[in-house]
Amino acid sequence: MADKDSVDFNPEHPQPNKFKQFLSESSQRFLATFLDDDIAKKERRQHIFKLINQAIAQKSIVVIQYKDLAKAKQADKYETLVGRLYQHPSNPESLVVKLQKDNQVKMISAQYIKKISLINPDFSRHVFASK
C-alpha cells in the first residue's frame, strides 16, 4: 500500500504545480496555433478573391497556379493557367478561365487556387511605346 505522504500533493514539492502549468500552457499554445491557421487561411482566401475581383474589373490576363482535386491524386503538381477570368454572379467560388493560348474555356473552383498573378493588358503597350 502507498503511504499518505506519497499520494498527497505536498506544497514543498512544486512538481504537480509545474505539471498543471505545463498542461495549461501547452493547451493554450495548441489552441492558438489552431486558430492562427484558420486566420491565415481566411486572410489568404480574401487576398486571392481581392486579386480575382481586380482582374475581372481591369479585364487583366491572369496566371494561376491551380490544383484540381481529381488530378491531385495522380500527381502533386500544380496546373498553370493563363487567360482571362469571368465570375458567375450567384456563385463567386466558380470561375471561368478563357485560356489565352487556344481560347478554350475551363471552369475552376477558387478554393483550389494556390497563387494568382495579374498582367495588365495595356502594360506591354506602354513599355514598348516608350522605347
Side-chain angles (χ1 to χ4, degrees):
M1 292 215 171
D3 60 359
K4 187 177 180 181
D5 291 334
S6 64
V7 175
D8 288 341
F9 294 120
N10 194 347
E12 296 173 7
H13 301 291
Q15 290 177 348
N17 291 335
K18 285 184 179 181
F19 183 69
K20 286 180 185 177
Q21 184 180 5
F22 171 75
L23 280 178
S24 175
E25 289 175 359
S26 63
S27 298
Q28 289 173 1
R29 279 190 301 243
F30 177 73
L31 183 61
T33 303
F34 179 74
L35 294 176
D36 287 345
D37 286 347
D38 288 345
I39 292 169
K41 286 180 185 179
K42 185 177 179 181
E43 288 175 354
R44 182 182 164 278
R45 186 172 182 212
Q46 287 175 345
H47 178 70
I48 287 177
F49 272 104
K50 179 182 169 189
L51 290 174
I52 288 169
N53 291 332
Q54 182 180 356
I56 292 170
Q58 294 176 352
K59 298 182 181 178
S60 299
I61 295 173
V62 295
V63 179
I64 297 174
Q65 283 186 339
Y66 178 77
K67 189 171 194 176
D68 191 7
L69 282 184
K71 294 180 181 178
K73 294 176 184 175
Q74 297 171 358
D76 288 335
K77 295 182 180 179
Y78 286 91
E79 183 178 2
T80 302
L81 305 172
V82 179
R84 295 193 190 275
L85 279 179
Y86 301 95
Q87 191 173 33
H88 194 276
S90 64
N91 187 3
E93 286 283 330
S94 296
L95 302 171
V96 176
V97 181
K98 185 176 180 184
L99 299 176
Q100 187 179 24
K101 66 180 177 181
D102 53 8
N103 284 331
Q104 287 184 343
V105 177
K106 183 168 187 167
M107 187 162 221
I108 63 172
S109 177
Q111 67 184 13
Y112 301 121
I113 294 176
K114 178 184 178 189
K115 186 176 179 183
I116 182 169
S117 301
L118 306 179
I119 302 171
N120 191 346
D122 297 328
F123 179 73
S124 60
R125 292 183 197 152
H126 291 298
V127 171
F128 291 119
S130 65
K131 290 185 178 181

